[in-house]
Amino acid sequence: MSLSLQILQHVPVNNYVLLAAMLFCIGVFGVLFRRNTIIVLMCVELMLNAVNLLMVAFSAMHNDPGGQIFVFFIMAVAAAEVSVGLAIMVLIYRNSGSVDIDLLNKLKG
Amino acid sequence: MSNYLFYILSFLSIFSALMVVLSRKPVHSVLYLIFCFFTIAGHYILLNAQFLAAVHIIVYAGAIMVLFLFVIMLLNLNAETEPHKPLIIKGASVVTGGMLLVVLIATFKSAAMSVSSPEFNSDLGMVESLGKVLYDQYMLPFEVSALLFLSAMVGATMIGKKEI
């Protein structure tokens, strides 16, 4: 227990903020960088996890379980989002024979 | 010792997150993403959120990643069929991500954050304390998330059908 007891005494919260910012930016970068829709969805998951990590860090900082409860709800929403998103992706693949995100511009005005 | 653990875990999570974006085969991306989720679970344990670490591994590495792998293998995606953006858009996305990171770092650098409460409760992330809060204060959101799951289930089944 003594290992995790003082993690925020050894590592400042700013380091966790930096780490979460980096993970979030990698997620944004991946969404812009890739054309495979499944990998874009994976990068969205990465961004969600960056926010989760930040929320757990602040929860430990303030000694408040509310932040961890919110992470719990975000996980539930992410699971629902992924299941519907992958179903949509299979439908797109069945209709157009590809998961290229640049082909999905039919709704463009 | 625990700060070395933090830096090792941070390096591993950032490296695997970058490899998710940069690896050519989609299956490799998924495997790196699983690894990244395990390192984030390590961060949760380090931050004294043991229950969340267990739930994170079960939900992400157990459920979501299996779904991703299943879809990638179902669609038979590999490096040859992988579409790539033109070079100028790739450069623009690197610049955009870097600029966003610079803005975020500049914003948070001046923020003074320190551990406010001196008393420390190591049972904070255990099932008992989280369950008390969840079923007491957050009862309504918990029930609403059940509704969300029902609608997601119905939606996924409807979308996945052969003809709508």
Side-chain angles (χ1 to χ4, degrees), chain A residues 36-39 86 89 93 97-100, chain B residues 24-28 30 68-83:
Chain A
N36 192 334
T37 318
I38 295 176
I39 293 179
L86 285 176
M89 209 136 307
Y93 186 79
S98 157
V99 286
D100 191 346
Chain B
R24 294 204 162 266
K25 293 181 182 170
V27 176
H28 288 186
V30 177
F68 271 117
L69 271 179
F70 176 72
V71 169
I72 281 181
M73 287 173 180
L74 181 77
L75 304 187
N76 200 13
L77 301 175
N78 43 35
E80 287 81 49
T81 58
E82 181 70 13

Side-chain angles (χ1 to χ4, degrees), chain A residues 19 22-23 26 29 46, chain B residues 7-23 28-29 31-33 35-36 39 43:
Chain A
L19 173 66
M22 279 181 189
L23 283 177
I26 291 172
F29 162 59
L46 209 60
Chain B
Y7 290 120
I8 293 169
L9 276 177
S10 309
F11 171 75
L12 285 177
S13 42
I14 287 173
F15 170 75
S16 53
L18 272 178
M19 287 309 287
V20 170
V21 181
L22 296 178
S23 61
H28 288 186
S29 290
L31 294 178
Y32 276 116
L33 193 63
F35 186 68
C36 185
T39 57
H43 278 299

Side-chain angles (χ1 to χ4, degrees), chain B residues 35-50:
Chain B
F35 186 68
C36 185
F37 284 160
F38 272 109
T39 57
I40 288 176
H43 278 299
Y44 287 169
I45 292 173
L46 221 56
L47 280 168
N48 225 12
Q50 293 92 345

Side-chain angles (χ1 to χ4, degrees), chain B residues 13-129:
Chain B
S13 42
I14 287 173
F15 170 75
S16 53
L18 272 178
M19 287 309 287
V20 170
V21 181
L22 296 178
S23 61
R24 294 204 162 266
K25 293 181 182 170
V27 176
H28 288 186
S29 290
V30 177
L31 294 178
Y32 276 116
L33 193 63
I34 295 174
F35 186 68
C36 185
F37 284 160
F38 272 109
T39 57
I40 288 176
H43 278 299
Y44 287 169
I45 292 173
L46 221 56
L47 280 168
N48 225 12
Q50 293 92 345
F51 173 67
L52 265 190
V55 169
H56 186 263
I57 287 178
I58 291 169
V59 170
Y60 279 101
I64 292 182
M65 284 305 104
V66 169
L67 215 59
F68 271 117
L69 271 179
F70 176 72
V71 169
I72 281 181
M73 287 173 180
L74 181 77
L75 304 187
N76 200 13
L77 301 175
N78 43 35
E80 287 81 49
T81 58
E82 181 70 13
H84 281 286
K85 290 206 172 188
L87 210 60
I88 181 162
I89 294 186
K90 283 186 174 179
S93 65
V94 172
V95 171
T96 310
M99 297 280 252
L100 182 62
L101 183 61
V102 168
V103 170
L104 284 180
I105 288 175
T107 310
F108 291 128
K109 205 177 57 136
S110 55
M113 283 174 277
S114 57
V115 182
S116 53
S117 52
E119 85 276 13
F120 180 77
N121 178 18
S122 69
D123 287 340
L124 184 75
M126 292 296 184
V127 184
E128 194 183 343
S129 74

